[in-house]
Amino acid sequence: MTEPEQGGTGAVTGGEAAGGVTPADGDIPAPTATTTETPAATATEAPAATATETPAPSSNADDAARGDAAPSEAPAPSALRRLEPSEIRARRRPRAIVLVWAWELACAFFIATPVHAWARNVWGAHPDGDAAIFRPGGHALLSWLGDEGAALAIVVRSTILALAVFGILGQIVTGTLIASLATGAGKSGRAPPTSFALRAGSASFFPLLALGVVAGAIEGAVLGVGLFASSALDHALAPRFGDARAFTARLALLALFVIATLVIGVVADLARVTIARDVAAARAEAPATSASMLGYLRGGVVAAVTTARRAVGRASLAWGWRAAASIALIYAGATAGDVTGGRGGGALWLLFAFHQLVVLARAALRASWLAYALRLVGR
Amino acid sequence: MTFLGAATSLAADGPLALAGPPGADDAAPDVEMAAHAPNVASYTLRAKLDPTRHTVHGEGTITWRNASSKAVSELWMHLYLNAFKNQSSVFMRAPIGGFRGGHIPSEWGSIDLKRLVLVDGETRHDLLPTIELRRPGDEDETDARVPLPREVAPGAEIALEVEWDDKLPNIVERTGYDGSFHMVGQWFPKIAKLEADGSFAHFPFHHLGEFYADYGTYDVTIDVPDDFIVGATGPVTETRREGGRLVERHVQGDIHDFAWTAWDGYRVKKETIHGVDVTVLAPAGYDDHVERELETMRFALPHYGARYGKYPYPVLTLVHPPVTASEAGGMEYPTLITTGQPSWLPRGLWFVEGVTIHEFGHQYFYGLLASNEDAWPFLDEGLNSYAENEAMAAWKGAGSGIHFAGLTIGDVEAQAERARHFGHDEKIAQGAGAFATGSAYGALVYSRTAALLETIARAYGKAKMDRALGVYARRFRFRHPTPNDLIDTIRAEIGPGAADNLRAGLFDKGWVDYTITQTSSHPSHGAAGMFDRDGKRETISPDKTARPNRYDGSVLVVRRGTLRFPVEIELVATDGSRSRVTWDGEAESFRVPYSGSAALRSAIVDPDDRILLDEHPQNNFATAPGQATAGAPRVLERGMFWAATLLGGLAP
Ligand SMILES: [Zn+2]
């Protein structure tokens, strides 16, 4: 199942990130260098499962996996180039996918820290630890959450804040992933060094953030209009058709607006890949030059709109099936959590492994979608 | 294994269980149960609805018997629709939040008496001129005094002719209209309950208060436009359509109130369940809810019958009001209950079932056990909430409140959480009007009573509680039990400890918090030091007294508060072995000695969550100093998965 060269070196980037999250108390399924090996190996498989659309390109792409593990062997940046659309494949960038996963793992540890600290403080001394709050019936859980104290507010606020901060910083990771997908070295288009991809990702941070803000505002506005319109429809229909049927109509209308919002998100992704690709390409082919943030933003939006005009259906479909697969993965993760309940020990470690596989597989799906978007946008 | 299953088997097998009576279905105690109620206040009424003006014209006769031991020279009559007449009513004045119905009606409601005549053989006395609607300095008109021209001797009966006009308010609490939907409750002049000592238990309609009345027979003829569907107390004995009107006559004995509804939007579904003709009236598009309510009744009718005695009426009507009239929902009247919840509510969120079973339970704790709801609201709402929790757990298991999206929340556990609030502020056993807020009323009367009873059931054995409430429900059927009747039954059937806890919990703001304040062990050794033995002084150093592979220690359990429940304490050693001891909970603290082949790691008091009323389950355990805690790895794992999921977005 594993291609030989992945096992040893794939852990390097993941291992670095994971090292920082090893918990102090040792009672946590800590991500270690060992655990990253398995997902790293799987990462090469996950995108493969998505490869039905196009046959895999030549196998020597995997040489690149060793790229920045030994910087002395890395190709000179000047050898980097922007890849032709037909060369862009997520499956050729397993290390970038693992990097995304490692980033999410590290963020997840930070985001989960407030609630974990709180739970540990309250339930840690219980003979069964926090298994108490997983008991059916929810006696301990309700008593804990209903306790009149500041902890809940502090945990909720700091968790939301951490999510927001890491969500914003995540633009760099998205940019890095796109840079890694869109550029390559040598004739075979080997993966660029991670350091290059990271620098390119960082350089695309502000344009991507600006795009995110603009797209988010448009999506929010469309959704807001949808909420308002569907509510108005509900109220208009309820006296005549009854509240149950009016509510069904409300849901149907709202669904149209939700679909519109998702399509806007797809178009925004087309802009996203264009921006991050252009930033990376400029750095690869002419490191000294740098266009303005607005220039990249404009270029991205124009390319996205042009592409959408020609292929919005194809793009939405390509995004849609990956989205469905992604949601199915989340559902599987939730169900696994449900089944595990308050069990600890080996069952909890198994659950951790499965959950992280889900996170990794979703990162691979995202990479697969971004690669498709890059191909669709073209040159 | 369901939560209820766990509680039951532990109660039966655990060290706390005494002689174990048989299972739930055999709980029917050998207690005499009245077949009928005494006929004290009976009403033969005709009501005509004008659905566009939202008025009801009523007329008829009331026969009333002085069932007390004293002669009576006045009557008290409740005119409760006047609660909605103006903002000076007791109802509208109450500074209450956090409970149902907080709005001011946009259409006021009222009841105007047009005729009140005492028929005394050939003589007719017009009582209208002497009626006293208001007390000096008070504009409330819900509690009228009616002086009588002559005394009514004990056992004597009188007849009154009445005629009145109702103006229904738009629904703010329980009764009124919404468009063409009409829920007509508290709509006729009703004589207050006469107590045995000759006093009337009369009271104005209070925002938090409910009702209290004598039993009798109701014969009510309802006249509505013929495109309307009527739901009402008691079975239909006559139906006719004439002049574009539908006229339905409903007759039912052994009840103490009558309510009805009329709407041209109802869909009707009928089913005979356990010998009872059940009718569900609901808006269009609520087919799934109708089915869920019928499912609930298929479970509840036999379940409550086995526990509290057979449901004695031939019919039961379930009214699901439209969502815009949801304030009419969640209410009980004899043989007619109103349910609720929006159409989209999925199964797993068992609120449709919960409200249906709760309101049905009121057929017992209100209908058949007609306590004074104004003076002792916990007797109906509290006992009924316990019965609801018990039934939902028996039916749906651990997730009897919510079993959805990975959450498994019990109805009774949710109740226990609410019960922790307001417990030190006010007592449970007080009149509805005495509560400072609707939130306190709800938390104490419903939740804290239910959690107190559930705690007693779990601490002393559920089978005993089943039997005790079975005895109570049968012995006081068609009567008006008081708190003492309940406490005395608990004392006789469960024991003095349970009764004392119940009384303290109800009347004295009783509370309890078990906690572990010390947990430790050390390698075992004999006594070291200087000993004078056989005329010689011997010094023994500690290392010489060591007993290899043995550990000694203790756990100190403290009971805070005024309630005293027996509890178990579980001791956990470092080798994973566990042992339990039982403490009667009488003293303020209890030291549990420990001796074992491994060091003591941790301890927990009430490991099976029997003391639902425990103020602070988070202090029920401790880990010995120097021992590793079990930590919270599950929360970290789940937290990390969901954080990564949120970070990645739902889709790529
Ligand atoms: Zn109730």
Side-chain angles (χ1 to χ4, degrees):
Chain A
M1 60 174 234
T2 307
E3 289 174 56
E5 64 266 48
Q6 291 299 316
T9 56
V12 174
T13 37
E16 277 167 8
V21 302
T22 306
D25 54 5
D27 61 355
I28 304 136
T32 63
T34 336
T35 51
T36 58
E37 275 175 12
T38 319
T42 322
T44 60
E45 293 187 339
T50 70
T52 44
E53 331 146 52
T54 29
S58 67
S59 63
N60 63 357
D62 292 313
D63 300 351
R66 214 179 285 273
D68 63 341
S72 56
E73 295 167 23
S78 57
L80 279 175
R81 61 183 175 85
R82 170 195 198 148
L83 295 181
E84 289 302 316
S86 61
E87 294 176 287
I88 297 172
R89 295 283 169 228
R91 54 158 59 190
R92 298 175 67 182
R93 297 292 181 264
R95 187 130 41 99
I97 291 167
V98 170
L99 184 71
V100 172
W101 167 77
W103 158 258
E104 289 185 342
L105 184 67
C107 293
F109 176 74
F110 284 110
I111 296 166
T113 289
V115 70
H116 174 233
W118 184 32
R120 197 168 190 282
N121 181 261
V122 175
W123 298 104
H126 190 289
D128 304 319
D130 62 348
I133 56 176
F134 287 82
R135 276 197 201 169
H139 175 65
L141 178 71
L142 292 175
S143 166
W144 179 40
L145 297 180
D147 209 2
E148 287 150 352
L152 179 61
I154 294 169
V155 165
V156 168
R157 175 86 67 96
S158 50
T159 303
I160 290 173
L161 202 67
L163 265 171
V165 167
F166 286 114
I168 290 168
L169 290 177
Q171 302 298 323
I172 295 175
V173 179
T174 304
T176 304
L177 178 59
I178 297 168
S180 172
L181 289 166
T183 58
K187 208 174 149 198
S188 62
R190 297 188 310 273
T194 304
S195 53
F196 167 81
L198 270 170
R199 277 197 298 274
S202 305
S204 57
F205 175 70
F206 286 107
L208 285 183
L209 188 63
L211 176 73
V213 170
V214 173
I218 297 171
E219 288 168 322
V222 171
L223 210 54
V225 170
L227 285 169
F228 178 79
S230 58
S231 164
L233 179 73
D234 189 340
H235 285 99
L237 295 182
R240 200 156 152 219
F241 298 99
D243 63 85
R245 286 168 190 173
F247 188 77
T248 308
R250 175 195 200 137
L251 284 187
L253 182 61
L254 186 62
L256 293 180
F257 279 90
V258 168
I259 290 170
T261 308
L262 295 177
V263 171
I264 292 168
V266 168
V267 177
D269 272 355
L270 296 176
R272 228 164 242 133
V273 294
T274 309
I275 290 168
R277 178 201 63 187
D278 289 352
V279 170
R283 294 181 75 88
E285 290 165 356
T289 62
S290 82
S292 71
M293 180 180 110
L294 271 179
Y296 284 124
L297 197 57
R298 197 180 314 117
V301 170
V302 167
V305 171
T306 315
T307 310
R309 273 203 189 140
R310 150 171 77 77
V312 72
R314 263 195 296 156
S316 300
L317 220 65
W319 179 86
W321 76 256
R322 289 174 179 89
S326 185
I327 289 169
L329 282 168
I330 295 171
Y331 184 80
T335 306
D338 236 16
V339 169
T340 309
R343 270 178 285 187
L348 186 61
W349 278 104
L350 261 178
L351 181 67
F352 174 71
F354 181 68
H355 276 166
Q356 292 311 313
L357 270 179
V358 167
V359 176
L360 181 65
R362 294 185 63 233
L365 279 170
R366 198 172 321 138
S368 163
W369 154 242
L370 293 174
Y372 183 90
L374 279 166
R375 291 200 295 274
L376 205 59
V377 170
R379 274 206 72 90
Chain B
M1 183 167 63
T2 66
F3 195 81
L4 181 82
T8 309
S9 64
L10 284 167
D13 309 335
L16 299 176
L18 302 178
D25 288 345
D26 302 317
D30 184 21
V31 182
E32 212 176 313
M33 186 166 74
H36 293 286
N39 241 340
V40 176
S42 293
Y43 297 76
T44 304
L45 308 175
R46 288 174 301 282
K48 186 169 183 177
L49 173 72
D50 180 337
T52 49
R53 292 172 55 228
H54 312 298
T55 57
V56 175
H57 177 76
E59 56 182 38
T61 52
I62 305 171
T63 55
W64 178 84
R65 181 167 59 86
N66 179 356
S68 81
S69 55
K70 293 216 177 88
V72 163
S73 59
E74 64 181 21
L75 295 176
W76 285 83
M77 199 167 249
H78 289 152
L79 304 171
Y80 278 171
L81 270 191
N82 283 338
F84 308 99
K85 189 172 180 179
N86 54 52
Q87 286 192 284
S88 294
S89 70
V90 167
F91 185 99
M92 289 289 171
R93 292 199 315 251
I96 297 295
F99 196 63
R100 58 188 303 161
H103 302 288
I104 296 167
S106 54
E107 286 279 341
W108 303 103
S110 63
I111 172 169
D112 292 321
L113 272 183
K114 296 295 179 190
R115 188 158 58 99
L116 183 63
V117 173
L118 173 67
V119 184
D120 207 357
E122 292 298 299
T123 326
R124 301 163 70 83
H125 303 278
D126 186 359
L127 303 180
L128 214 50
T130 55
I131 192 168
E132 179 195 301
L133 279 177
R134 290 182 284 263
R135 309 292 93 70
D138 188 344
E139 301 226 55
D140 185 89
E141 294 180 17
T142 60
D143 191 21
R145 192 174 74 88
V146 185
L148 296 174
R150 62 167 179 84
E151 283 195 333
V152 181
E157 195 169 88
I158 59 171
L160 298 168
E161 287 179 4
V162 288
E163 187 180 346
W164 75 95
D165 280 313
D166 290 333
K167 167 78 186 76
L168 299 172
N170 68 310
I171 295 178
V172 288
E173 188 174 297
R174 302 190 186 106
T175 189
Y177 73 91
D178 175 68
S180 61
F181 169 83
H182 294 79
M183 183 69 226
V184 191
Q186 311 308 324
W187 58 284
F188 57 95
K190 192 173 175 191
I191 298 176
K193 164 98 177 72
L194 181 68
E195 300 290 29
D197 64 359
S199 65
F200 278 90
H202 66 91
F203 40 85
F205 192 1
H206 190 274
H207 186 105
L208 297 177
E210 292 188 284
F211 314 107
Y212 187 36
D214 275 307
Y215 283 97
T217 298
Y218 285 72
D219 179 343
V220 181
T221 303
I222 298 161
D223 180 340
V224 299
D226 74 352
D227 55 341
F228 275 59
I229 286 163
V230 171
T233 296
V236 182
T237 59
E238 225 183 295
T239 310
R240 54 177 201 276
R241 290 175 190 274
E242 51 190 23
R245 307 284 296 181
L246 165 69
V247 180
E248 265 190 30
R249 183 178 173 205
H250 292 250
V251 183
Q252 179 66 61
D254 303 329
I255 57 174
H256 49 72
D257 200 2
F258 188 101
W260 55 285
T261 176
W263 189 30
D264 53 1
Y266 279 131
R267 301 289 186 274
V268 184
K269 185 145 189 195
K270 291 173 185 283
E271 182 176 323
T272 300
I273 299 172
H274 212 59
V276 178
D277 290 331
V278 178
T279 303
V280 186
L281 304 178
Y286 276 79
D287 297 351
D288 184 52
H289 276 23
V290 169
E291 181 49 35
R292 287 170 69 174
E293 289 173 19
L294 285 169
E295 275 171 23
T296 308
M297 291 320 305
R298 283 176 215 129
F299 169 79
L301 270 164
H303 186 80
Y304 278 70
R307 283 182 141 55
Y308 312 117
K310 189 180 186 313
Y311 177 77
Y313 308 111
V315 293
L316 178 72
T317 301
L318 281 65
V319 178
H320 192 120
V323 80
T324 45
S326 58
E327 234 318 310
M331 186 54 197
E332 67 280 6
Y333 304 95
T335 81
L336 182 145
I337 59 178
T338 66
T339 60
Q341 301 300 335
S343 60
W344 50 262
L345 198 80
R347 283 164 194 261
L349 300 175
W350 302 122
F351 309 149
V352 176
E353 291 74 5
V355 70
T356 305
I357 224 163
H358 179 95
E359 304 312 335
F360 170 68
H362 275 306
Q363 294 303 311
Y364 291 85
F365 303 102
Y366 151 82
L368 299 172
L369 297 140
S371 303
N372 185 336
E373 294 184 289
D374 184 72
W376 311 113
F378 79 89
L379 275 181
D380 61 299
E381 292 301 352
L383 258 68
N384 187 43
S385 293
Y386 170 80
E388 168 210 318
N389 297 155
E390 191 279 334
M392 286 301 290
W395 187 24
K396 298 291 183 191
S400 60
I402 296 173
H403 197 171
F404 194 75
L407 269 181
T408 308
I409 302 293
D411 197 13
V412 74
E413 281 80 5
Q415 207 87 268
E417 206 296 303
R418 287 213 305 161
R420 281 188 202 102
H421 307 275
F422 302 101
H424 297 289
D425 299 2
E426 304 183 53
K427 56 186 178 181
I428 294 172
Q430 59 180 351
F435 287 91
T437 64
S439 308
Y441 170 81
L444 295 174
V445 165
Y446 288 71
S447 303
R448 198 163 174 87
T449 309
L452 177 61
L453 289 167
E454 178 70 18
T455 298
I456 292 172
R458 292 186 185 188
Y460 298 98
K462 183 171 182 301
K464 287 184 179 184
M465 177 59 91
D466 287 347
R467 186 183 153 78
L469 288 187
V471 168
Y472 172 79
R474 287 170 176 83
R475 183 173 292 154
F476 295 100
R477 173 172 283 206
F478 294 131
R479 292 166 66 184
H480 308 273
T482 63
N484 279 341
D485 294 329
L486 175 68
I487 293 169
D488 290 347
T489 308
I490 296 287
R491 187 179 305 281
E493 300 298 332
I494 304 181
D500 293 347
N501 279 324
L502 181 60
R503 182 176 290 283
L506 292 172
F507 286 89
D508 304 323
K509 299 196 268 189
W511 65 286
V512 70
D513 176 20
Y514 289 95
T515 184
I516 289 183
T517 56
Q518 272 180 26
T519 306
S520 65
S521 70
H522 50 79
S524 181
H525 55 77
M530 295 187 293
F531 297 90
D532 292 325
R533 285 168 184 162
D534 304 326
K536 280 197 284 188
R537 174 159 292 190
E538 191 183 352
T539 301
I540 302 174
S541 64
D543 55 302
K544 287 205 175 124
T545 66
R547 299 185 195 115
N549 304 323
R550 293 299 298 173
Y551 291 82
D552 293 327
S554 70
V555 171
L556 184 61
V557 188
V558 173
R559 177 184 57 78
R560 300 168 181 156
T562 54
L563 303 178
R564 297 143 193 260
F565 293 103
V567 282
E568 284 186 299
I569 298 131
E570 185 167 273
L571 277 56
V572 183
T574 49
D575 63 2
S577 63
R578 297 184 180 224
S579 57
R580 283 192 182 192
V581 292
T582 303
W583 173 35
D584 64 12
E586 286 296 325
E588 286 181 339
S589 67
F590 178 53
R591 191 175 287 280
V592 187
Y594 174 77
S595 180
S597 56
L600 185 61
R601 184 166 74 81
S602 56
I604 177 169
V605 57
D606 189 27
D608 300 322
D609 300 332
R610 291 191 199 184
I611 313 301
L612 270 195
L613 218 55
D614 193 314
E615 294 266 310
H616 204 61
Q618 294 93 304
N619 67 10
N620 283 20
F621 46 82
T623 293
Q627 296 291 344
T629 69
R634 297 158 190 85
V635 169
L636 180 62
E637 198 285 324
R638 301 303 201 286
M640 285 176 67
F641 173 63
W642 287 109
T645 299
L646 285 171
L647 207 61
L650 279 180

